[in-house]
Amino acid sequence: MTGPATVTDRLERHQVALYLLAIGSGLVLGLAAPAAAESLDVAVTPFLAALLYVTFLQVRAADLAAALRDRGFLGAVLLVNFVLGPLVVAALSPLLPADDAIRLGALLVLLCPCVDYVVVFTGLAGGGGQRLLAATPLLLLVQMLLVPVYLTVLLGDGREVIDPEPFLWAFLVLIVVPLAVAWLTQFWAARSAAGRRASAAASTTMVPLMMAVLFTAVGSQVPRIDSRFDDLAGVIGVYVAFIVVMGAVGLLVARGFRLPTESGTAVVFSGVTRNSLVVLPLALALPVGAELAAATVITQTLVELVAMVTMVWAFTRAARRR
């Protein structure tokens, strides 16, 4: 017999609705009080670092080692995200608006696979969310190494636009520090009751932190999107095309690698979802004149979240038919 549902259980059960609520609230604030909303951008990085800490807290070193040994799954994820994905982006890039900031923001977000809420949506769709979670540190590391190279190739004169410092800073603040603190917390929890309580308490904050990230990220960028919507509208079709093509690519690769259904679903979701919340601080740190890049990144988040809800519905419906 199971006990009564905890607050955390209820939050997780309704997390998609709560994420949509956070996005809707950010939209309302951004439109109703743009000056106040824009000031929220300083909170995005701290909230995101905290979210990634809690995410990494669920990845034990042993789980990470096991994920690295699953060569079929890992090979499929790396192929989809860092070989086929960039080829799709290159094919779609001529369709992007001519504005340099919009092109930079779109390329930046489309080249980076997601490492946070993709785990949530993969699990809701019946996929191997934990396996994808364990591969998260590797996905983050590879994209931070390769994305500057891809941007340079696709932008042509990208070396003049891309400052490596924001990438290095983001890698330190959003990857190295949260991962190190998470593993220190695990070490403490394995040896102390106080550490176990602290770890358990931190784990309950996943959904509220995701809501905070979505609210601050969307709210801070909506005024920029609203003021330049005519310019940004041209990128929406590219985002939709990317989602459709990468969904098909992920399915083909999963079948080609003969992955189990759960692993195959994880590959598809990993290929479709992009790392908008992690690359947003990079976009915000770009030189003066590229402010529209951040709004372009958030536009992708809004398009993608609609796609995620649709994909969860489609995958769960397909699973019931089996």
Side-chain angles (χ1 to χ4, degrees), residues 183-196:
W183 283 356
L184 286 173
T185 304
Q186 291 175 5
F187 182 83
W188 181 30
R191 289 158 178 79
S192 163
R196 287 190 290 275

Side-chain angles (χ1 to χ4, degrees), residues 205-281:
T205 64
M206 173 73 80
V207 174
L209 281 172
M210 179 66 84
M211 292 178 66
V213 170
L214 291 170
F215 174 75
T216 55
V218 172
S220 64
Q221 297 307 311
V222 161
R224 297 181 176 95
I225 295 173
D226 186 46
S227 63
R228 298 287 299 273
F229 182 77
D230 290 344
D231 298 317
L232 290 165
V235 83
I236 294 175
V238 175
Y239 289 155
V240 173
F242 178 86
I243 289 167
V244 173
V245 174
M246 288 304 294
V249 167
L251 285 171
L252 290 173
V253 170
R255 290 175 181 173
F257 277 71
R258 298 181 179 179
L259 296 176
T261 300
E262 288 189 357
S263 296
T265 300
V267 169
V268 174
F269 273 74
S270 180
V272 168
T273 51
R274 302 291 90 188
N275 213 5
S276 56
L277 299 180
V278 172
V279 302
L280 179 60

